[in-house]
Amino acid sequence: MSDADYDRLKQRNKAIEDRFSTEKRSDSPSEQIGAPVSEGFDKVRHAQPMLSLGNAFTNEDVIEFDQRIRKFLGVNETAPLRYTAEPKIDGLSLSLRYEDGTLVQAATRGDGEVGENVLANARVISDIPHTLTSVPAIFEVRGEVYMSTADFAALNARQAEIKGKQFANPRNAAAGSLRQLDAVITKSRPLRFFAYAWGEVSEAFAKTQSDAIAALSRFGFQTNPLTTSCDSPDAMIAHYRDIEENRATLGYDIDGVVYKVDDLSLQKRLGFRSTTPRWAIAHKFPAELAWTTLNDIEIQVGRTGALSPVARLSPVTVGGVVVSNATLHNEDYIAGLGGDGAPIREGRDIRVGDWVQVYRAGDVIPKIKDVDPSRRDPTSTPYVFPQICPECGSVALREQGDAVRRCTGGLICPAQLVERLKHFVGRSAFDIEGLGAKQIEQFYADGWIRSPADIFTLQARFGTGLQQLKNREGWGEKSAEKLFSAIAEKRQISFRRVLFALGIRHVGEASAGLIATHYGTWDAMETTLTTATIGQGAAWDDLLGIDGVGAVMATSLITAFQNDNERATIDALIAQLDVQEATAVAVSDSPVAGKTIVFTGTLEKMSRAEAKVRAEALGAKVAGSVSAKTDILVAGPGAGSKAAKAESLGVLTIDEDSWLAMIDGL
Ligand code: IVH
């Protein structure tokens, strides 16, 4: 129809909506283009988390991926096992939620748990249907928003004409366009969408990955034509080579090939690690390389005191992005030695002034692959790694077995303090909106925030009075208020986040979660760590009984909680917070919920890894060793000392069949 006819219908629709506001449809044209520019995007929690993928870089990695899966499933090398193989699109993922066939939400990945609802913008992408027929009542379709290389070039040309921003690559252009607050701008940027996965669905719609992709295509989505099905790692690798050869002619950027187990019931059994599925992997293309000169080596001091050398480079374009810094890892790496002490780069060291070869793999920090000694200035000398901390002047020591030299200044080192604070407010830690690395540096420099607890007393100290935050450069009344309320919101916080946020060495996100569920309350953990003796006693045994906690992490935890300075910092913080109790997954019908289980000996019906995952899914805790806290020992043939210990402690010991009978049907 003509524009005029369309406008007339739109006006009539609007008039009807004004009179009968309750009848307004969520896909109404009045809600779309021409709708007021939004002030920001609403946050939405994903019904199922949006995960990332593990990486494979070599053919061996692909073979190992297949072997790992077979081992987990307990099937031998020759049993048939199909995989799908499809390009990994270099864009950004989007989750489209359809309710009763109508698109009601379009969420970006965000941190994987919470994303932003960019519905108005998704609606102007022509590859995204507004309605679907014959789909489950709740149907979340996931895929990649991307921009073709031709559209990207045309966009940059248009931007140049209007002296607007130039985008570094199609991915950045797609991301910038999807997150426009004004959908009219998004509409002017030709975005596309490939569907390749799904989130919450109220009813199963396929039995295999290949069928699911075929169904998505029938429903009206674009699916990638290079998706194929393979029956062996060899076939997967052959398809990878094929796609790699055609990469330049596809018309859009891809950065690898994704392999997925085809059978969805096997995908379900394989399940997920904390952030990646066991049943899929991304086989990445080799990174692009470029030569440039190394102008300087700077030393940065991290939150654990690690002295990290950073290469300052003459800017060079690598894979469409200008690179001017690269990591040099540690002093051995600069000297030409690998982690095992054996030579790397045939023993060539790296010197200031050298020509170096730089590469970028995905989003990660650029690295240096090689150095060209034939172009080296003959008067150059090897780089001498500092033995004192450049930030606080304390001695920097390298402990035996540690590749890294560390500043011994602890909390007197300003660099360590600032980095700890940045970690504290990071995404997986307190994640305070409006308080990122930049603001932390600013507040630290002014002496307003010197420890985590200071964040929570900021409003009391600087909210009112002479030195009001709102009077400072970069802050106004609104932004100051917003910050204070974002901080207040985080007073109530999960146990695992607090523990991870403290940045205790060796305690990562996953371990923090395991420790939290083990102890349940902060007080219980604190009591254990305060009374524990390194290497012996009940508290020590209890710590080591947590799956994934070894002697190194346990020592690090005890040391942190028994050091006076550290402890004062921790206690001051806890006094400001309401730390939530951590509970293991509650599965009300499960007879093993809350129980501590140890597996030992050979399991015949499923691998140890699968048994553990299933037990945890039923709300049990799985421990690595038997103690007085163990409720059940599942012992297969060949069970040795653990079975003896369980017997002496009177722990219930059952065989694999009884275990399966116990969890039957769950
Ligand atoms: S599957 C549970 N398939 O890669 C895993 N992801 O590194 C679901 N991506 O966040 C992802 N092409 O944005 C899958 N064909 C493809 C993909 C793909 C691109 C992206 C996606 C994901 C990231 C993981």
Side-chain angles (χ1 to χ4, degrees):
M1 71 178 72
S2 70
D3 266 359
D5 286 345
Y6 179 80
D7 284 342
R8 246 191 314 278
L9 282 177
K10 215 168 125 180
Q11 274 167 11
R12 173 137 189 266
N13 181 62
K14 172 95 182 25
I16 296 170
E17 283 176 349
D18 286 347
R19 251 190 95 186
F20 305 104
S21 61
T22 56
E23 301 302 306
K24 185 163 168 180
R25 292 165 49 138
S26 63
D27 62 349
S28 163
S30 62
E31 289 290 294
Q32 297 178 42
I33 290 295
V37 173
S38 46
E39 288 203 330
F41 299 110
D42 288 339
K43 292 259 188 308
V44 278
R45 182 165 287 280
H46 298 297
Q48 280 178 12
M50 286 181 83
L51 301 170
S52 50
L53 291 169
N55 289 329
F57 296 101
T58 62
N59 293 352
E60 287 70 44
D61 291 345
V62 178
I63 293 165
E64 271 171 30
F65 166 67
D66 174 60
Q67 284 169 345
R68 261 198 317 273
I69 286 179
R70 288 174 186 273
K71 190 161 170 228
F72 189 99
L73 296 172
V75 299
N76 66 33
E77 301 247 325
T78 51
L81 190 54
R82 295 199 78 79
Y83 295 93
T84 57
E86 69 203 61
K88 183 171 187 297
I89 317 296
D90 198 5
L92 53 148
S93 47
L94 190 67
S95 185
L96 304 169
R97 187 177 173 93
Y98 292 85
E99 287 177 3
D100 298 321
T102 302
L103 178 64
V104 294
Q105 181 178 298
T108 60
R109 181 171 183 277
D111 65 0
E113 285 174 30
V114 177
E116 287 176 325
N117 190 2
V118 292
L119 179 62
N121 296 347
R123 281 196 175 124
V124 302
I125 299 176
S126 57
D127 286 346
I128 296 181
H130 291 198
T131 54
L132 300 176
T133 45
S134 312
V135 293
I138 293 176
F139 194 50
E140 279 184 9
V141 176
R142 292 180 174 175
E144 205 81 353
V145 172
Y146 66 100
M147 190 178 281
S148 76
T149 37
D151 287 337
F152 162 71
L155 170 63
N156 262 356
R158 279 205 311 277
Q159 292 287 103
E161 269 169 30
I162 59 165
K163 298 205 165 53
K165 177 182 153 96
Q166 288 287 301
F167 294 99
N169 52 43
R171 186 180 184 283
N172 288 2
S177 306
L178 187 68
R179 294 194 73 263
Q180 282 295 330
L181 290 171
D182 184 351
V184 175
I185 299 181
T186 308
K187 194 175 166 110
S188 73
R189 309 261 179 93
L191 294 175
R192 297 162 190 238
F193 181 79
F194 273 130
Y196 52 66
W198 55 96
E200 189 185 2
V201 285
S202 53
E203 196 183 319
F205 68 105
K207 285 199 167 64
T208 62
Q209 182 77 31
S210 328
D211 286 351
I213 299 302
L216 289 172
S217 167
R218 271 200 316 279
F219 296 150
F221 289 96
Q222 298 299 319
T223 56
N224 195 285
L226 297 173
T227 307
T228 189
S229 145
C230 303
D231 59 6
S232 67
D234 282 349
M236 285 142 79
I237 292 164
H239 192 55
Y240 170 90
R241 293 270 166 258
D242 230 26
I243 293 181
E244 190 182 26
E245 267 171 32
N246 291 309
R247 185 178 179 186
T249 63
L250 295 179
Y252 49 86
D253 281 359
I254 62 174
D255 57 350
V257 175
V258 183
Y259 308 126
K260 299 172 185 169
V261 169
D262 194 32
D263 184 330
L264 299 185
S265 65
L266 296 183
Q267 283 192 5
K268 189 159 179 229
R269 275 177 65 193
L270 286 156
F272 301 89
R273 295 179 215 94
S274 61
T275 56
T276 57
R278 284 195 191 81
W279 44 265
I281 201 163
H283 189 178
K284 302 295 273 291
F285 292 135
E288 273 188 53
L289 296 164
W291 286 95
T292 186
T293 50
L294 170 62
N295 300 329
D296 197 8
I297 296 178
E298 266 178 40
I299 302 292
Q300 289 180 349
V301 182
R303 75 185 156 85
T304 59
L307 266 51
S308 305
V310 177
R312 302 286 178 218
L313 307 164
S314 299
V316 61
T317 307
V318 192
V321 171
V322 179
V323 166
S324 42
N325 303 311
T327 174
L328 286 163
H329 304 287
N330 54 52
E331 58 191 282
D332 281 353
Y333 189 83
I334 297 175
L337 296 172
D340 51 3
I344 49 169
R345 303 183 299 269
E346 293 165 352
R348 289 187 284 277
D349 70 328
I350 295 174
R351 302 181 185 181
V352 172
D354 275 348
W355 278 89
V356 290
Q357 195 180 31
V358 187
Y359 69 101
R360 264 180 77 240
D363 272 339
V364 294
I365 314 160
K367 295 182 179 162
I368 289 189
K369 179 154 185 177
D370 210 349
V371 52
D372 185 351
S374 71
R375 298 173 84 175
R376 175 174 282 169
D377 175 352
T379 64
S380 77
T381 51
Y383 177 72
V384 181
F385 204 88
Q387 315 274 309
I388 59 159
C389 171
E391 297 285 344
C392 73
S394 302
V395 176
L397 284 182
R398 194 172 158 188
E399 282 174 24
Q400 195 147 33
D402 194 348
V404 172
R405 189 172 287 279
R406 288 173 206 276
C407 160
T408 54
L411 293 172
I412 68 146
C413 177
Q416 286 192 48
L417 256 177
V418 173
E419 292 307 316
R420 280 192 194 196
L421 287 166
K422 285 187 197 164
H423 170 80
F424 185 85
V425 297
R427 234 185 192 187
S428 304
F430 271 70
D431 193 19
I432 298 171
E433 204 164 335
L435 192 61
K438 207 177 90 200
Q439 291 81 7
I440 285 288
E441 273 175 8
Q442 191 187 15
F443 287 133
Y444 181 86
D446 298 343
W448 285 23
I449 294 181
R450 286 281 153 103
S451 81
D454 290 349
I455 294 172
F456 295 93
T457 57
L458 191 66
Q459 181 168 20
R461 291 179 294 132
F462 296 112
T464 52
L466 277 181
Q467 254 192 318
Q468 282 183 351
L469 176 59
K470 66 169 192 187
N471 294 335
R472 302 199 20 164
E473 203 190 314
W475 293 90
E477 183 133 23
K478 244 191 166 165
S479 56
E481 252 170 41
K482 245 179 145 173
L483 176 67
F484 292 139
S485 77
I487 293 173
E489 233 173 66
K490 296 292 162 92
R491 280 186 193 271
Q492 204 185 56
I493 186 140
S494 70
F495 183 168
R496 59 184 301 159
R497 277 188 188 260
V498 183
L499 182 56
F500 174 66
L502 293 179
I504 296 169
R505 238 179 111 192
H506 306 295
V507 183
E509 220 182 316
S511 329
L514 291 168
I515 296 168
T517 26
H518 179 80
Y519 288 107
T521 63
W522 183 269
D523 286 352
M525 178 193 70
E526 188 201 290
T527 311
T528 306
L529 295 177
T530 311
T531 53
T533 311
I534 292 171
Q536 62 186 54
W540 173 261
D541 288 347
D542 186 41
L543 258 174
L544 289 202
I546 305 172
D547 199 39
V549 178
V552 174
M553 198 194 303
T555 305
S556 179
L557 277 160
I558 296 172
T559 312
F561 273 75
Q562 296 185 6
N563 170 303
D564 289 346
N565 281 334
E566 300 270 356
R567 190 50 192 272
T569 309
I570 296 172
D571 289 350
L573 168 69
I574 297 299
Q576 296 292 329
L577 303 176
D578 172 11
V579 183
Q580 304 289 288
E581 210 169 294
T583 43
V585 189
V587 182
S588 48
D589 291 336
S590 159
V592 296
K595 297 254 192 306
T596 300
I597 298 179
V598 176
F599 292 97
T600 186
T602 317
L603 299 183
E604 284 160 345
K605 306 275 160 56
M606 59 175 81
S607 68
R608 193 73 78 77
E610 183 172 7
K612 176 171 181 281
V613 170
R614 284 199 62 186
E616 282 171 351
L618 293 168
K621 292 178 204 165
V622 177
S625 62
V626 174
S627 74
K629 296 220 167 128
T630 310
D631 294 299
I632 305 170
L633 177 73
V634 180
S641 62
K642 286 184 190 165
K645 186 159 184 201
E647 197 183 340
S648 73
L649 291 169
V651 170
L652 171 65
T653 303
I654 57 175
D655 64 10
E656 188 182 3
D657 283 336
S658 318
W659 159 250
L660 290 174
M662 187 182 265
I663 61 167
D664 183 34
L666 293 172

